[in-house]
Amino acid sequence: MGSADQNYDLEIAKPIPVTKSKECLLHARSNNDVRFRVLKVFLENVRKVVFETKLFVLFPAIPMAFVAHCYNFGNPWVFALSLVALTPLAERLSFLTEQIAFFTGPTVGGLVNATCGNATELIIAMFALRQRKIHVVKYSLLGSIISNLLLVLGSSLFCGGISNLYKEQKFDHKQADANSLLLLLGLLCHMIPLLFNLRSMDSPKSDGNPVLQLSRAISIVMLIAYVAYLFFQLKTHAQLFEPQEDEGDDNEELEKETASIGCWSAFLWLCGMTIIISILSEYVVGTIEDASETWGISVNFISIILLPIVGNAAEHAGSVIFAFKNKLDISLGVAMGSASQILMFVVPLCVLVAWTMGIQMTLDFGLLETGCLALSIFLTAFTLQDGTSHYLKGVILTLAYVVIGACFFVQRLPFDDSDVNNLGPVGNAVV
């Protein structure tokens, strides 16, 4: 009797561990599948983000810059490696924002692209502000504006003209007109403190710093104007900023324009690259003077030419590619939109942030610098006024940038450490 009951109990208890083992096995397999799927997605993202760019050969400069900084290879080496490392990061930043744009729409995506495309310049400016290097802030932002208007836009028009050698490219000039108006307003806001400063040099000095107070008030007005521009771009006249579709576009080409990676994956990569850019930007700002002294190149040339070329790598690559595809509306939106954002948002934001930090930063960029900015804006506005383009216009804009670069290359002015706002010869500027 006892043996029968024991056998009966064994028969009842026997299926239970088998069922649990199957559930555990299925659970383990599902966990392995999830882990394998996550790893597969991660490796696929690495391939698309890192290796699907022609600049991937520059990615080894990132760990080399960290090693050079940690083991004290010398500030010029740290500066050079950091500058090289920022180039692919800035270009990949543009790629990631384009991926996010597939989920946010073309208008909002274009704005996000312009904003993140200027992230490198903004981060460098903030680190320079923290180290009280106002001349680096002003020159790098000014150089970024001029680079977008002349180099980026000029090379885009040239490449677009070469791909359409015997005919003119057409674009909607209404978007260019809106950006030109915003740039002219920004130019006015920069010229008033300069003219006020030049006028006050012959008059008796008053208490306080009226140029500083005027610059802070104008900066608030510039931010208000930029907010109005955003409302104009995103709400009331969004159709002016939407890219015009060609009638000859094939369905196959439209199908190819889909997101390569997911929205959250792009966002996580964007955050990671922004952190790396922040670290490298701090290296660049901290070693720029030593690199200038070692190489025999002035700080103003490095700030106004080299730093903007690196920071505008994203805009430059994207704008040229769109011009080759005969999509000048997008090229104009990238180049001029980035220049407008730096002039009307980043520059006044730096002035107000410096105010909160107790740093006296004004909108007086100097006579030569403001003159180059004015000529760049006027030349760009005249180039785009008829709504057509050819390679000669690109050549003119690019050569104008070469002339400005040569001007700042031969300009070797000392900076007075006691006056961080001095952008001219010591003792001549009143900023």
Side-chain angles (χ1 to χ4, degrees), residues 304-381:
I304 207 169
I305 301 297
L306 297 184
L307 292 184
I309 289 178
V310 171
N312 291 333
E315 291 90 342
H316 205 162
S319 183
V320 170
I321 291 173
F322 284 124
F324 267 122
K325 295 181 179 180
N326 204 23
K327 297 180 179 180
L328 277 185
D329 291 311
I330 303 180
S331 296
L332 292 177
V334 171
M336 297 193 69
S338 180
S340 301
Q341 188 177 65
I342 294 175
L343 183 61
M344 298 299 294
F345 175 72
V346 179
V347 172
L349 180 65
C350 289
V351 173
L352 297 181
V353 170
W355 187 8
T356 62
M357 298 171 64
I359 301 174
Q360 297 183 357
M361 176 179 174
T362 70
L363 291 175
D364 184 1
F365 278 33
L367 183 59
L368 176 62
E369 293 77 10
T370 306
C372 291
L373 175 63
L375 293 176
S376 300
I377 293 175
F378 285 129
L379 184 59
T380 304

Side-chain angles (χ1 to χ4, degrees), residues 266-287:
F267 179 76
L268 293 176
W269 277 97
L270 190 68
C271 294
M273 287 192 174
T274 303
I275 294 174
I276 299 176
I277 288 175
S278 301
I279 299 174
L280 294 176
S281 299
E282 186 175 11
Y283 292 170
V284 167
V285 173
T287 58

Side-chain angles (χ1 to χ4, degrees), residues 43 115 118 149 218 237 255 282 294 329 385 391 426:
L43 294 177
T115 303
N118 293 327
L149 292 178
I218 292 177
H237 293 72
E255 290 177 358
E282 186 175 11
T294 303
D329 291 311
Q385 64 179 348
Y391 73 91
V426 178

